């Protein structure tokens, strides 16, 4: 459920400064009598320390499209440049934070909602948070985008054909889905809703996928151009 913007800091009469948090509440809190606490060290202080700007690079695409590969290549490239990044990967988070969730539409929505909130915290910490999830439903991705302000949600669409992903099939999941042994598999019998207005689209050229380092370079160029890799 989408909420309206809530000026948390302003609620308690806090000064309007860098610590003021303007956020979209993605759920209506169940608890009452809760109050927002601001801390003396704010996002700008952390960004100055790190000499970079916090943001979320949200990688979406079919299973096998290369999300994890891009996430890791990008993470390593940023690390080499002395930039602090952290990868949130679908498979990995489903071993912990999201291990109670399956692949029904409402479970995927909750998966993405939680990840969006975590990614927002990482961005607030000043990091380049790289989130790599199929995130097949447009509405769920848009809810995550709405949590971030000032262009710091960067949606990267790995627009690889189903044919290519299915030919790769590194985990053998497409084969199982085609055989009816996995139900509700994205691209086979569950939908993937392509982004309409993503910041970066990476696709095959003449049937050939760009190399992982070329894909990462495309994202780095965007981050450089938008000033995320500087104070
Ligand atoms: N039914 C079904 N549909 C799609 N994917 C499935 C399914 N069942 C298991 N898997 C495996 O789960 C990985 C995707 O997890 P995500 O958290 O990214 O999915 S989602 O965003 O909630 O849709 C996905 O990993 P990737 O291949 O890296 O995308 C699969 O390995
Ligand atoms: N740019 C690329 N060029 C060639 N092969 C790739 C590329 N990106 C990923 N792959 C290969 O495709 C398969 C799926 O990649 P992966 O990153 O696991 O995808 P996803 O996380 O979207 O499921 C892996 O075997 C990987 O080595």
């Amino acid at each position: 459920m989408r909420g309206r913007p809530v000026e948390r800091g302003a609620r308690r009469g806090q000064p309007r400064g860098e610590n003021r948090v303007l956020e979209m509440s993605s759920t209506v809190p169940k608890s009452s009598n809760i109050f927002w606490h601001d801390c003396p060290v704010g996002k700008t202080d952390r960004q100055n320390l790190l000499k970079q700007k916090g943001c979320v690079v949200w990688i979406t695409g079919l299973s096998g499209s290369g999300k994890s590969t891009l996430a890791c290549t990008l993470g390593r490239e940023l690390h080499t440049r002395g930039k602090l990044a952290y990868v949130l990967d679908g498979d990995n988070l489903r071993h912990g934070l999201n291990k109670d969730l399956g692949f029904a539409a409402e479970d995927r929505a909750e998966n993405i909602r939680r990840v969006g909130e975590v990614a927002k915290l990482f961005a607030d910490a000043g990091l380049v948070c790289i989130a790599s999830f199929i995130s097949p439903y447009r509405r769920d991705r848009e809810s995550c985008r709405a949590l971030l302000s000032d262009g710091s949600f960067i949606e990267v669409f790995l627009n690889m054909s189903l044919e290519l992903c299915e030919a790769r099939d590194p985990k053998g999941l497409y084969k199982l889905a085609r055989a009816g042994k996995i139900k509700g598999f994205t691209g086979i019998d569950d939908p993937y809703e392509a982004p309409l207005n993503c910041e970066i689209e990476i696709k095959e050229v003449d049937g050939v996928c760009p190399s992982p380092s070329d894909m990462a370079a495309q994202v780095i160029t965007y981050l450089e151009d938008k000033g995320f890799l500087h104070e």
Side-chain angles (χ1 to χ4, degrees), residues 62-64 67-68 90-91 94 103 108 111-112 132-136 171 173 182-186:
L62 290 171
S63 175
K67 300 182 298 299
S68 302
D91 270 324
R94 282 174 174 277
F103 289 91
R108 293 185 200 247
N111 182 33
I112 299 311
S132 154
F133 293 80
I134 296 178
S135 41
K171 302 168 192 160
L173 298 179
I182 299 178
K183 302 286 183 201
F185 197 79
T186 305

Side-chain angles (χ1 to χ4, degrees), residues 142-229:
E142 287 307 311
S143 296
C144 294
R145 178 186 289 279
L147 293 171
L148 276 291
S149 56
D150 58 35
S152 60
F153 183 90
I154 300 143
E155 191 174 9
V156 180
F157 176 29
L158 279 190
N159 188 3
M160 303 303 154
S161 63
L162 177 63
E163 292 68 33
L164 176 72
C165 298
E166 201 167 348
R168 286 175 170 171
D169 203 9
K171 302 168 192 160
L173 298 179
Y174 281 103
K175 203 171 172 199
L176 291 173
R178 288 289 186 195
K181 292 179 180 160
I182 299 178
K183 302 286 183 201
F185 197 79
T186 305
I188 304 297
D189 54 353
D190 209 66
Y192 178 81
E193 298 169 1
L196 300 176
N197 284 305
C198 59
E199 280 71 17
I200 300 172
E201 181 177 359
I202 299 174
K203 54 185 176 185
E204 297 152 75
V205 180
D206 298 328
V208 179
C209 176
S211 71
S213 57
D214 282 351
M215 298 195 298
Q218 199 174 329
V219 179
I220 296 263
T221 300
Y222 183 92
L223 294 175
E224 288 271 18
D225 289 350
K226 298 289 179 185
F228 287 106
L229 303 185

